[in-house]
Amino acid sequence: MKRRVAVIGAGWAGLSGAVECVAAGAEVTLFEMSPLVGGRARDVAGVDIGLDNGQHICIGAYSETLRVLARIGVAEADGFLRLPLRLVDAQGLGLRLPDGAPMPAFACAVLRRRGWSWRDRVALLATAFLWKRRGFVCAPSATVADLVAGLPASVRQQFIEPLCVAALNTPAESASGTVFLRVLRDALAAGPGAADLLLPKVGLGALLPRPAVAWLESKGATVRLAHRVERLEAVGATWRVDGLPFDAVLLAASAHEAARLNAPHDAAWAARAAALLYEPIVTVYASSPGTRLPEPMLVLHSDADRPAQFVFDRGQLGGSPGLLAFVVSGAAAWVERGLAATEEATLAQARADLAAALRAPLAALRTIVEKRATFRCTPSLDRPPMRIAPGLVAAGDYIAGPYPATLEGAVRSGVAAAHAALS
Ligand SMILES: Cc1cc2nc3c(=O)[nH]c(=O)nc-3n(C[C@H](O)[C@H](O)[C@H](O)COP(=O)(O)OP(=O)(O)OC[C@H]3O[C@@H](n4cnc5c(N)ncnc54)[C@H](O)[C@@H]3O)c2cc1C
């Protein structure tokens, strides 16, 4: 008889876990409390101009995400625009990696970087090669700021800090050096293409969530949307999910919900999941008809008065021409100031920094705040483990693992939990 598996939560972890279970021959029921699938990487409901809840930067090293997409029939070229890594601002200053093996390409980009002195360039390269020689490992207690304390201020402010907030959504002063180096290792010390940018060129819902549901249903899985799981009960070696019987449960709900559902079974695990802290991300969508930015993604210089670190030209990414998305990561201070103030400051920053590129006045369209966008990725963070009890496993970007809160972290966790649930 097929093993009956309940998957709770249809974010990227739950969807990937469900796909893996079905591929391994299990009978899957997927529960999702929202009427929409995708969790924190989804389309925005009720908006007809094709907005996502946030911009998602992926890289070539997201190998499990690409593998799951291929399994459900989404070719990389249909979902992403692949570009050699470019982190440049509106003035064209920044790093542009040429094709080829990532570490030599990175060295080449640093040596060619305009606007930095030779001292800046040599200091960054020497530090990067030292990290590589040490296997991209540091003391567990080190922050990213500790790791780069010896680098010139220009390199820290124009490269490390935006990269850190993009990868970990946590400011360098409090971000985990270990996790930062792990991201660098996967991007720079891997084969050609690992550091490439993969920018979604379809809405997030069309990238993995909806194709995954279509694939699951075509294989006979049951998908129950708008069903918030209220109760998880152990019955001998099996489980009941809101009264329905299963052999195994893959708990891929958000950490808070997983803590609530799991509290009666493992209070210590629930306490660890509930103790995680979060960083918000704000996305300001605006439109400037006729505008095409020099790159599909540009770095912006943020400070106490300028909120955004990146702008995406959605017109170059399958969206309407002139649709721009400004990203404010690590946005706790801006959320405190309020959404109207954040939107106004972002538009002022954009009008100044993108003046040469804007072809028409910039008009705000919509501002979206995700208060719990990602867990705060601090040194020696106590993340709960995947295995909870026989037949009960957890998945999600927050589960113990080497990655920060990312799509790849969620997908890897979902796949690993599926194997554990079926073993
Ligand atoms: C604005 C923003 C920008 C981001 N940028 C990037 C980026 O550039 N690159 C990157 O890689 N990552 C990025 N991320 C992070 C990435 O989106 C997340 O790491 C990933 O989506 C987490 O997936 P998950 O499945 O672990 O969790 P979630 O997406 O939170 O999924 C959990 C699901 O469980 C459901 N659920 C909860 N409780 C229950 C219940 N009781 N019953 C049924 N269902 C339940 C929820 O509704 C949800 O759908 C970003 C996130 C945000 C919000």
Side-chain angles (χ1 to χ4, degrees), residues 24 79 115 136 247 286 295 380 414:
F136 291 95
D247 301 307
E295 300 279 347
S380 308

Side-chain angles (χ1 to χ4, degrees), residues 192-390:
D196 285 355
L197 277 179
L198 296 184
L199 300 179
K201 62 177 190 184
V202 295
L204 288 173
L207 189 53
L208 181 137
R210 284 195 293 278
V213 167
W215 187 91
L216 288 167
E217 288 182 329
S218 76
K219 305 282 178 199
T222 304
V223 179
R224 294 180 169 226
L225 300 183
H227 180 136
R228 180 183 188 226
V229 171
E230 296 294 347
R231 233 175 37 259
L232 204 54
E233 295 160 276
V235 183
T238 65
W239 291 85
R240 286 185 184 274
V241 174
D242 287 348
L244 298 169
F246 294 95
D247 301 307
V249 175
L250 197 164
L251 184 52
S254 49
H256 261 67
E257 278 286 288
R260 176 182 69 79
L261 287 167
N262 195 28
H265 311 292
D266 187 339
W269 189 100
R272 287 164 80 179
L276 294 171
L277 300 173
Y278 295 88
E279 287 285 347
I281 296 180
V282 178
T283 307
V284 177
Y285 283 101
S287 146
S288 166
T291 293
R292 184 182 164 93
L293 298 182
E295 300 279 347
M297 182 188 93
L298 287 176
V299 174
L300 296 171
H301 300 290
S302 73
D303 58 27
D305 300 313
R306 297 183 296 175
Q309 297 97 4
F310 291 97
V311 55
F312 287 72
D313 182 348
R314 297 287 299 247
Q316 296 183 47
L317 295 166
S320 359
L323 175 62
L324 304 181
F326 296 88
V327 179
V328 184
S329 292
W334 283 101
V335 170
E336 228 165 79
R337 288 201 215 176
L339 281 201
T342 310
E343 185 176 288
E344 206 177 296
T346 303
L347 293 186
Q349 175 187 12
R351 287 179 188 121
D353 289 7
L354 304 178
L358 293 179
R359 292 285 165 268
L362 197 59
L365 285 177
R366 185 162 169 155
T367 294
I368 298 172
V369 61
E370 286 277 1
K371 287 199 171 150
R372 288 186 179 169
T374 65
F375 62 82
R376 189 175 296 164
C377 191
T378 49
S380 308
L381 185 64
D382 183 23
R383 291 159 68 173
M386 171 180 75
R387 287 177 195 276
I388 303 175

